[in-house]
Amino acid sequence: MGEKLKERWQRKIHCKTRENLSTPAFVHYDEYRFSAGEFLRYTAEGIGIAALISYVFYRSIAAFFPLLGILYFYLKEKKKDCVLRQKQKLRQEFKETMGSLIAGLQAGYSVENAFMRSYADMVMLFGSKSLMAKELLQIKKKLHNNQNLEDILTDFAKRSGLKDIEDFAEVFRIAKRSGGDLPGMMRSTADLIFDKMEVERKIETLVSAKKYEQSIMNMVPFGIILYIDFSSPGFFDSLYHNVTGIIIMTVLLGVYLAAFFLAKKIISI
């Protein structure tokens, strides 16, 4: 009886181990979840912006509470920025992964072993908590469970939301099925992706100065109004606490927000 219980327990542990190995990451890179620290930080920033706008444009505590609605849109924009940074990080790490894969294939490794080998390289370059290290660890586990590498890469490409990774997965699928020169085809695809990333990096470098200028210009109207207000008290009193002033300041706030989003759209790549 004791031997049977022991055998059933070992089987249960073995099944759980296999289940854990086959569990996919299911990270969708078009989505982002704030950490507790990020949520508190961005919430505090959004509240601060609402307080600044209510003071500069309306000089009224009553206006502060309706303006808290800005917090929702601010968090939404911050989430978009985080998604963009996450994708940029994934893209950069994927570039290094491709270099490691090609080196492994040229050294005579099989495709599967090249992917397993590249995991150690990514851990050494970016750490075990990096995006590609986690993805390669999942690929490694799925390969141990005899899952098809083409399907694994296709799933990863869909979740990444990046055209470069989707193109790589498609080329890999075609090359694997056709039985052609897999290292050569992967090298050609990698060269195209590297060239594209290099061009985009140069564009980003050129635009970064404009982005910095935009961030300064966003604060200039507030700086001017606060400077005049503190250096010449009462100068803007006619614009506050009356219907005409509220209408004028609301129109100006609308113009400011329109200019803000237009500038952001212009300099976005």
Side-chain angles (χ1 to χ4, degrees):
M1 185 70 178
E3 289 296 325
K4 285 184 179 179
L5 285 172
K6 185 177 178 183
E7 186 179 346
R8 284 170 67 184
W9 180 252
Q10 285 176 342
R11 261 189 218 162
K12 193 174 181 182
I13 292 174
H14 180 67
C15 288
K16 281 187 177 179
T17 305
R18 287 183 61 84
E19 184 182 341
N20 289 337
L21 283 173
S22 63
T23 302
F26 290 131
V27 177
H28 292 270
Y29 293 93
D30 283 320
E31 301 170 2
Y32 188 86
R33 180 175 292 179
F34 291 134
S35 65
E38 287 174 330
F39 181 76
L40 290 173
R41 175 191 164 191
Y42 295 140
T43 299
E45 288 177 1
I47 292 171
I49 290 170
L52 180 63
I53 292 174
S54 66
Y55 177 80
V56 170
F57 284 88
Y58 300 104
R59 202 67 55 84
S60 171
I61 296 175
F64 170 72
F65 296 102
L67 285 169
L68 278 176
I70 290 172
L71 182 60
Y72 169 78
F73 297 100
Y74 183 76
L75 290 175
K76 196 174 179 180
E77 285 299 313
K78 280 297 176 183
K79 188 164 285 191
K80 287 180 182 178
D81 293 341
C82 290
V83 166
L84 182 61
R85 285 198 299 270
Q86 180 175 252
K87 284 188 174 185
Q88 288 173 341
K89 185 180 178 185
L90 176 66
R91 202 156 173 252
Q92 184 59 40
E93 291 179 11
F94 179 73
K95 174 185 174 183
E96 300 299 331
T97 302
M98 288 187 70
S100 175
L101 285 172
I102 292 167
L105 290 170
Q106 289 176 335
Y109 286 93
S110 67
V111 179
E112 289 77 9
N113 287 333
F115 271 95
M116 293 182 185
R117 174 183 175 275
S118 63
Y119 168 71
D121 292 341
M122 293 308 103
V123 170
M124 184 175 63
L125 281 173
F126 302 110
S128 60
K129 300 295 183 182
S130 63
L131 299 175
M132 276 309 303
K134 290 178 181 178
E135 288 292 342
L136 287 167
L137 181 61
Q138 289 297 326
I139 291 173
K140 193 175 178 180
K141 289 177 179 179
K142 290 175 181 179
L143 287 173
H144 280 144
N145 284 311
N146 297 320
Q147 293 189 32
N148 192 305
L149 182 56
E150 299 169 43
D151 296 334
I152 296 170
L153 290 178
T154 300
D155 172 66
F156 169 48
K158 287 178 181 177
R159 289 186 291 105
S160 72
L162 291 173
K163 188 71 169 59
D164 293 336
I165 299 180
E166 290 174 359
D167 290 343
F168 172 80
E170 185 62 27
V171 168
F172 180 83
R173 179 181 287 275
I174 293 169
K176 196 88 188 303
R177 286 182 177 181
S178 64
D181 180 16
L182 186 59
M185 293 180 73
M186 287 179 64
R187 196 182 310 113
S188 299
T189 306
D191 288 341
L192 289 172
I193 292 174
F194 291 168
D195 290 343
K196 180 183 173 184
M197 290 176 71
E198 183 62 23
V199 170
E200 289 183 356
R201 186 191 65 79
K202 290 178 180 178
I203 294 172
E204 180 66 29
T205 302
L206 293 171
V207 174
S208 59
K210 299 299 179 183
K211 287 184 177 180
Y212 182 69
E213 289 175 14
Q214 187 218 356
S215 64
I216 294 174
M217 292 301 296
N218 289 339
M219 297 307 298
V220 166
F222 294 97
I224 292 172
I225 292 173
L226 291 173
Y227 173 76
I228 295 173
D229 189 42
F230 286 113
S231 61
S232 304
F235 186 84
F236 293 115
D237 284 353
S238 60
L239 292 173
Y240 301 115
H241 308 297
N242 61 81
V243 176
T244 304
I246 290 171
I247 293 172
I248 291 172
M249 295 305 275
T250 302
V251 171
L252 291 176
L253 177 60
V255 171
Y256 171 79
L257 291 174
F260 172 81
F261 286 110
L262 181 62
K264 188 173 182 181
K265 190 173 183 63
I266 290 172
I267 65 173
S268 65
I269 300 176

